[in-house]
Amino acid sequence: MRTLVTYMTQTGNTKRIAEAIYGELEGEKEIKPIADVSDLEGYDLAFIGFPVMQFDVPPNVKQLLSEETAGKNIAIFMTHAVPEGFEAIHSWTGSASQAAASANILGTFDCQGELAQPVIDMLLKADDPQMKAFGEMGPATKGQPDESRVQKAKEFAKEVQAKV
Ligand SMILES: Cc1cc2nc3c(=O)[nH]c(=O)nc-3n(C[C@H](O)[C@H](O)[C@H](O)COP(=O)(O)O)c2cc1C
């Protein structure tokens, strides 16, 4: 079995989860930033990860999901600043799943990720009140994803791989 873990990251949170997933995988495996992936040919399974940005999947990730996943086994993982269980997370997961509508989606995982200080500063200056509210939430995200979240990501990796 050949598995790919590919991810987008700006401040390292999604990379941390990607590496945790990668570490648990059996068989042949590769880990690469999304920018280095043009298609998913030759993989039996691909984990695709990203940070939620502006209440959605980043456009380059959406493009990979919609253009390259038809008929493929994939699993989606994402990090976000809001706490797990926050209602809007369903719409973000839904948006990613919808973009990959022709894929065989074997699982989705999400967890909180720390808002980096420069991001907090930028959000606090935003005109959009929702963005400003995110900035104010920043300190509460410190240290995420923590060890318990990383552990959950590892379990997710094993569960998904067992389905192939
Ligand atoms: C421009 C920008 C927009 C963001 N928008 C959201 C958002 O809509 N919802 C959310 O929960 N987090 C949002 N975040 C927070 C990131 O999703 C979160 O910090 C994530 O863990 C960053 O992952 P990374 O370190 O892999 O880049 C945003 C961050 C940035 C920089």
Side-chain angles (χ1 to χ4, degrees):
M1 156 133 74
R2 192 151 173 252
T3 306
L4 173 70
V5 180
T6 185
Y7 61 93
M8 175 191 162
T9 195
Q10 285 194 326
T11 59
N13 301 333
T14 314
K15 185 177 186 203
R16 182 153 189 233
I17 297 297
E19 286 171 349
I21 290 171
Y22 178 76
E24 290 304 301
L25 297 175
E26 314 252 342
E28 225 184 302
K29 55 187 177 178
E30 277 179 64
I31 183 164
K32 286 186 196 179
I34 273 186
D36 295 346
V37 173
S38 52
D39 60 57
L40 303 178
E41 291 315 311
Y43 299 104
D44 302 299
L45 168 64
F47 287 83
I48 301 172
F50 57 89
V52 173
M53 294 184 83
Q54 279 156 349
F55 317 107
D56 207 350
V57 181
N60 58 327
V61 180
K62 213 178 236 184
Q63 192 180 348
L64 182 78
L65 288 170
S66 63
E67 294 178 6
E68 303 297 337
T69 63
K72 306 277 181 198
N73 290 325
I74 67 161
I76 293 166
F77 62 101
M78 64 187 185
T79 67
H80 44 73
V82 298
E84 293 89 358
F86 190 85
E87 216 184 307
I89 293 169
H90 294 294
S91 76
W92 305 334
T93 318
S95 176
S97 303
Q98 205 181 334
S102 309
N104 181 24
I105 302 175
L106 297 178
T108 60
F109 174 84
D110 73 276
C111 75
Q112 193 175 36
E114 176 172 328
L115 266 179
Q117 195 57 48
V119 179
I120 296 177
D121 295 343
M122 180 195 76
L123 291 171
L124 289 175
K125 282 189 218 133
D127 292 330
D128 181 342
Q130 265 180 308
M131 283 292 161
K132 211 171 243 172
F134 270 123
E136 282 157 11
M137 219 182 54
T141 67
K142 204 119 204 91
Q144 303 303 345
D146 63 6
E147 205 38 58
S148 71
R149 286 165 172 86
V150 168
Q151 190 53 42
K152 282 187 184 146
K154 291 179 178 176
E155 284 156 24
F156 168 72
K158 280 191 274 198
E159 277 165 25
V160 167
Q161 203 176 30
K163 290 181 187 172
V164 179

